[in-house]
Amino acid sequence: MSMDPELDVTEATLHHNLNGSDSTVTSMDTTTLASADQEELLSDQPAHLWRRRKLELMSWTERDKHTVIPKRTTLWNGVEVDVELAEALTLLQHAGIATEFSCAGVSPLDEPIDHSLYAYVTLVKSEAADRFVQYAIQNMRHRLLVTLETGSGRYDLSSFFIGHNRSFCWWMQQCAAHFNKETNHSSTT
């Protein structure tokens, strides 16, 4: 997954599985993640950011974790989702992009336990999703980790750093809002 094989085990160990929960995969052989799926890395973080991610992860595992504010959820289309991502999910839906799983991720600012380690949104591959993924990569740059599960046709957009989980939620909302404006503007001109 990364350019540094030493980091691959850490990445796979903590990457959420296809059901959206934390995975316990201990090998980066992506064929073990799902029988028919291969994960293709689409974002391009340089090696020094992968090293920083590994250090952040080691620091996170060692630190004391205290809940400041309990996890907040809301009903969205009949499904309980994290409040921090609800508006982004709505905007993505308005853009014709189907989502499957999402999580606001852990944060020392509020809930350090009752979330996946990294914030993420899973999109169903489509023409609109393809365009949005490229738009998000251009705008979020190194903050965004993007993989494509080729067998299931799903994009996984996630925060690259644990410390960016809440800003990931904000950036997802901003990208979805601007993507909608640009898409609606170009279709009316």
Side-chain angles (χ1 to χ4, degrees), residues 9 13 18 26 34 37 46 55-56 102 109 112 136 184 188:
V9 172
T13 302
L18 298 178
T26 56
D37 277 343
L55 292 173
E56 179 195 42
S102 65
L109 302 175
N184 289 335
T188 58

Side-chain angles (χ1 to χ4, degrees), residues 1-2 7-17 19-23 25 28 39 43 45 49-61 65 71 82 84-85 101-108 110-122 140 142-147 156-170 172:
M1 199 170 203
S2 73
L7 302 178
D8 287 340
V9 172
T10 301
E11 174 61 20
T13 302
L14 296 164
H15 199 278
H16 67 86
N17 67 17
N19 294 323
S21 60
D22 287 341
S23 174
V25 176
M28 199 48 225
E39 277 194 329
S43 54
Q45 285 79 9
L49 291 181
W50 284 100
R51 287 189 293 275
R52 180 176 152 201
R53 179 180 164 113
K54 182 179 181 180
L55 292 173
E56 179 195 42
L57 175 60
M58 290 188 299
S59 173
W60 179 261
T61 59
K65 296 166 188 73
K71 180 176 179 165
D82 293 329
E84 297 88 349
L85 285 169
F101 307 110
S102 65
C103 184
V106 297
S107 174
D110 50 48
E111 175 47 64
I113 300 166
D114 195 20
H115 287 281
S116 293
L117 192 59
Y118 296 96
Y120 69 91
V121 175
T122 303
M140 292 177 71
H142 72 276
R143 292 177 168 267
L144 182 65
L145 178 65
V146 181
T147 59
D156 183 41
L157 286 69
S158 62
S159 176
F160 191 72
F161 293 113
I162 297 166
H164 291 174
N165 281 345
R166 291 300 171 265
S167 65
F168 168 87
C169 298
W170 182 86
M172 274 286 105

Side-chain angles (χ1 to χ4, degrees), residues 38-146:
Q38 293 278 326
E39 277 194 329
E40 181 181 333
L41 181 63
L42 301 180
S43 54
D44 187 26
Q45 285 79 9
H48 75 279
L49 291 181
W50 284 100
R51 287 189 293 275
R52 180 176 152 201
R53 179 180 164 113
K54 182 179 181 180
L55 292 173
E56 179 195 42
L57 175 60
M58 290 188 299
S59 173
W60 179 261
T61 59
E62 297 297 320
R63 74 183 298 165
D64 289 334
K65 296 166 188 73
H66 304 282
T67 299
V68 177
I69 301 169
K71 180 176 179 165
R72 298 176 305 135
T73 60
T74 189
L75 275 182
W76 180 81
N77 288 346
V79 177
E80 197 171 316
V81 299
D82 293 329
V83 167
E84 297 88 349
L85 285 169
E87 183 62 23
L89 296 173
T90 298
L91 291 165
L92 289 168
Q93 183 181 44
H94 289 311
I97 300 169
T99 60
E100 287 192 346
F101 307 110
S102 65
C103 184
V106 297
S107 174
L109 302 175
D110 50 48
E111 175 47 64
I113 300 166
D114 195 20
H115 287 281
S116 293
L117 192 59
Y118 296 96
Y120 69 91
V121 175
T122 303
L123 311 178
V124 177
K125 187 171 177 16
S126 67
E127 188 177 312
D130 294 347
R131 288 192 321 270
F132 177 76
V133 165
Q134 290 308 309
Y135 184 84
I137 288 171
Q138 287 176 327
N139 287 279
M140 292 177 71
R141 299 186 187 107
H142 72 276
R143 292 177 168 267
L144 182 65
L145 178 65
V146 181

